[in-house]
């Protein structure tokens, strides 16, 4: 392997797109997102570069002041509710679209606002519908699961 050539190409690449490994400001962030969008058009071809860029974007989003409030709100969310909100956003669903998995529109709303917890049956049904591992709905620091003996 010609390491000298690799070093030269890497130096040229990082001179042109330093944001690949470290995002320093909003302009870098916007460039990183734009490049990511292009790379995702052919994921298999660009998988390695996507991984490197995703790490830089994640670091920026976890530490940049403009994301601090959002990150704090997300950290306070129940993991299951956060997953449910993400699914609703990604699939552009309404509360009534989840009546088979959760129940009434009002029950979905209560779960989303934190006044009710998801039951084991809710999690199983959502996992089946969206082809997800049920573990994604649980807290990583300990399981919080509601008894299913309550009527919903």
């Amino acid at each position: 392997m010609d390491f000298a050539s690799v070093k030269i190409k890497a130096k040229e690449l990082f001179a042109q797109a330093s944001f690949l490994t470290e995002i320093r400001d909003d302009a870098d962030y916007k460039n990183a997102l734009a490049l990511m969008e292009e790379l995702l058009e052919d994921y298999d071809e660009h998988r390695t570069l996507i991984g490197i860029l995703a790490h830089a974007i994640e670091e920026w989003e976890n530490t940049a002041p403009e994301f601090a409030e959002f990150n704090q709100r997300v950290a306070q969310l129940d993991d299951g509710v956060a997953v449910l909100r993400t699914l609703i956003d990604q699939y552009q669903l309404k509360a009534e679209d989840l009546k088979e998995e959760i129940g009434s529109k009002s029950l979905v709303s209560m779960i989303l606002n934190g006044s009710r917890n998801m039951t084991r049956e809710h999690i199983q049904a959502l996992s089946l519908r969206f082809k997800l591992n049920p573990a994604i709905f649980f807290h990583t620091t300990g399981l919080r699961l509601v008894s299913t003996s309550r009527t919903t």
Side-chain angles (χ1 to χ4, degrees):
M1 174 171 278
D2 181 9
F3 291 127
S5 174
V6 170
K7 291 190 296 185
I8 290 169
K9 288 177 183 176
K11 185 176 180 180
E12 290 170 357
L13 175 63
F14 294 123
Q16 186 175 0
S18 62
F19 60 83
L20 286 171
T21 58
E22 182 183 10
I23 297 173
R24 293 185 201 116
D25 55 34
D26 195 49
D28 278 356
Y29 180 64
K30 288 178 182 175
N31 285 328
L33 292 178
L35 177 57
M36 180 64 83
E37 197 170 310
E38 283 191 33
L39 294 172
L40 288 172
E41 290 177 13
D42 190 358
Y43 177 82
D44 290 333
E45 177 72 22
H46 303 292
R47 187 180 345 200
T48 303
L49 190 52
I50 288 169
I52 293 167
L53 186 57
H55 178 72
I57 291 170
E58 180 181 17
E59 285 295 315
W60 176 257
E61 290 176 347
N62 286 339
T63 59
E66 60 259 37
F67 291 101
E69 182 182 331
F70 173 79
N71 290 336
Q72 184 177 10
R73 284 186 312 194
V74 168
Q76 293 172 349
L77 283 177
D78 175 279
D79 289 354
V81 172
V83 170
L84 183 58
R85 285 182 189 276
T86 301
L87 292 169
I88 288 170
D89 287 344
Q90 285 183 341
Y91 290 92
Q92 299 175 349
L93 300 173
K94 295 180 178 69
E96 60 263 14
D97 295 330
L98 298 169
K99 62 184 168 195
E100 287 187 39
E101 293 79 18
I102 294 179
S104 69
K105 179 180 173 181
S106 62
L107 179 57
V108 174
S109 294
M110 287 188 285
I111 289 170
L112 290 173
N113 73 28
S115 62
R116 293 287 294 270
N117 292 318
M118 282 191 279
T119 66
R120 181 177 175 193
E121 282 81 11
H122 297 151
I123 292 169
Q124 285 177 326
L126 290 165
S127 297
L128 285 172
R129 176 176 179 177
F130 297 104
K131 297 174 180 61
L132 297 170
N133 183 328
I136 196 168
F137 290 94
F138 298 113
H139 289 281
T140 55
T141 58
L143 299 180
R144 282 184 41 203
L145 192 57
V146 176
S147 167
T148 58
S149 61
R150 289 198 304 191
T151 56
T152 53

